[in-house]
Amino acid sequence: IEESEDGESEGSEDEDEKTSDEREAESQAVGKQSVDRKPSKEISSDSECDSDDDRTKEDILYDKAKRRIEKRRIENNKNVNTEKLRAPVICVLGHVDTGKTKILDKLRHTHVQDGEAGGITQQIGATNVPLEAINEQAKMVKNFDRENVKIPGMLIIDTPGHESFSNLRNRGSSLCDIAILVVDIMHGLEPQTIESINLLKSKKCPFIVALNKIDRLYDWKKSPDTDVATTLKKQKKNTKDEFEERAKAIIVEFAQQGLNAALFYENKDPRTFVSLVPTSAHTGDGMGSLIALLVDLTQTMLNKRLAQCEELRAQVMEVKALPGMGTTIDVILINGRLKEGDTIIVPGVEGPIVTQIRGLLLPPPMKELRVKNQYEKHKEVIAAQGVKILGKDLEKTLAGLPLLVAHKEDEIPVLKDELIHELKQTLNAIKLEEKGVYVQASTLGSLEALLEFLKTSEVPYAGINIGPVHKKDVMKASVMLEHDPQYAVILAFDVRIERDAQEMADSLGVRIFSAEIIYHLFDAFTKYRQDYKKQKQEEFKHIAVFPCKMKILPQFIFNSRDPIVMGVVVEAGQVKQGTLMCVPSKNFVEIGIVTSIEVNHKQVDVAKKGQEVCVKIEPIPGESPKMYGRHFEATDILVSKISRQSIDALKNWFRDEMQKSDWQLIVELKKVFEII
């Protein structure tokens, strides 16, 4: 069965030819490891001589490795131990300034006090809360069953909220198991809070709400060592009333977002109602209840998800150069284990990087922080942990994608292909426009954040890349010089620009904007666009002809030739200075250029539909002046002389100054002038 299944999943065409070889390969795989080492040697020799015969051997080895990986995955996913849970990964989300980091600091603070082994990797912003700390924190919670805590601890991640969700597309699940949404009780749901809620809804991620800043309530008496429900009961009447009023208002706001919410001590059904925990990161009120609730929910609702599983799931979060250690990568290990000496495959800017783990670093227990050597080396790390990995060739690692481990040498090519596929899928999922800017960012997360920002600001993007700006990126961006030069721009977010790339950009005329803050980048580009548009309007103002149609008022003919001065009614469109007027009914005779427009003896730049104005029309330089009464009559309609070039110039540079009715007149005039 296994073989046929595998055959299907491989979709291999030459199934029949392979079966005997495959059986041999199977038996080899079943055979001892010593037998297994032979093929890996063969691979190295095979790659040197590349004849047809050898190709098939390589194919067989590739398929065999692929099948072994598949089989291991199925086995691992079968042997899940629901009795033994891993630490849940918890994300903290919320609006700016609601106290996200403050809450984390409060959780960390206790570790410092008790000299606990609560390691915190500040690098990833992953706080490891060990079991002892959980018990210590929740000691005042009455109904907390500390004897039966199944989870070994918690891993709390403090990253920019969106990234921790959007980046782990690996097997359809996001990085975090449960989230804490921080809401300021004084302000209710703010824009970013609503954004976070939608994110949680779209990822179907369970969450609890920390109603933070209760210490701001009028006359609040703090009591961090008692259960927050009891603390609330002890407050004065007006404090209680204010709390109830504000909490009710926030529950209504959640209802508007389509969510049922209830205060955690009144919540009978945590599966359908979101629990609100009143907290104060400042005084420490409610922290114990928050932790107790997290433990409770993760053990009951998420026990299947948190069941210990040997299938490795790890995500590269950051790439950092450390003095004395070279380039290291910060990895969040969600499932499985990592050992020193493992062969890892990580995503890289120029393709997957294969390297060995030289060291696994975890921050030490708190009390030893005074020691200079800040990290502790571990031989093995078990999920869930934030861990720093030492290894060589990690400089070009790409943050935001999975890390894979090859158990045997022949698995490397298979896993490499998997990573390439993963990256392609991620980048292909991003929709590009035909005309637009070229966007470059340091990580997938920041790329997505930047693209999201450009989308809301209606800036089109035609190309994307990750990592430093190289010459090839400048080449790609320079394509826009032909299509639409205003987009021959590279927006480089938090990445290095190679010197030869900058030189090439200068010579080709590609602009590179770089910044470390999205808004600065955007402001620079917006300013550039406005300046560019002004410059183009200046350049094209003589080519762009605004459409207009005017009717002569015969009682207001002040001068009949050189210059013609007369009163007119603008029937459609708009008359501007510099417009060339002609008479369609008299064989398109061009009578001259509008040089001034007056309304009630006042000079104006433009006259719109319905206005009665006096215009001065001067003859075209080098042509004989036209005369009213001879070349055209009072009954003739005058229109502006438009052309294909003038229409294009209007479309490209003067769109803001055109109304819908003006475009309708253009369509009309196109027929008159027979413009295609």
Side-chain angles (χ1 to χ4, degrees), residues 485-538:
Q486 65 166 329
Y487 294 128
V489 168
I490 296 178
L491 298 184
F493 177 50
D494 195 19
V495 290
R496 211 176 55 248
I497 296 157
E498 299 291 347
R499 213 163 113 205
D500 51 354
Q502 184 66 61
E503 286 164 5
M504 183 176 183
D506 294 341
S507 66
L508 287 175
V510 173
R511 290 287 296 269
I512 302 181
F513 292 103
S514 81
E516 299 197 350
I517 296 171
I518 285 187
Y519 306 105
H520 293 180
L521 194 61
F522 181 69
D523 293 344
F525 177 65
T526 318
K527 184 176 178 309
Y528 160 76
R529 249 175 115 180
Q530 285 163 351
D531 295 348
Y532 186 82
K533 191 169 170 187
K534 278 194 193 117
Q535 176 200 332
K536 284 292 179 192
Q537 285 183 345
E538 223 13 73

Side-chain angles (χ1 to χ4, degrees), residues 184-231:
D184 183 337
I185 192 166
M186 292 302 175
H187 294 147
L189 300 189
E190 295 169 279
Q192 253 169 310
T193 326
I194 292 170
E195 207 175 286
S196 305
I197 291 174
N198 292 331
L199 203 95
L200 292 162
K201 281 204 281 197
S202 68
K203 294 282 177 191
K204 297 194 169 55
C205 177
F207 65 100
I208 61 177
V209 175
L211 269 190
N212 202 19
K213 305 199 180 175
I214 49 173
D215 57 288
R216 296 270 188 88
L217 294 168
Y218 178 72
D219 217 5
W220 177 259
K221 300 276 183 290
K222 66 172 186 174
S223 170
D225 295 332
T226 48
D227 192 328
V228 69
T230 322
T231 315

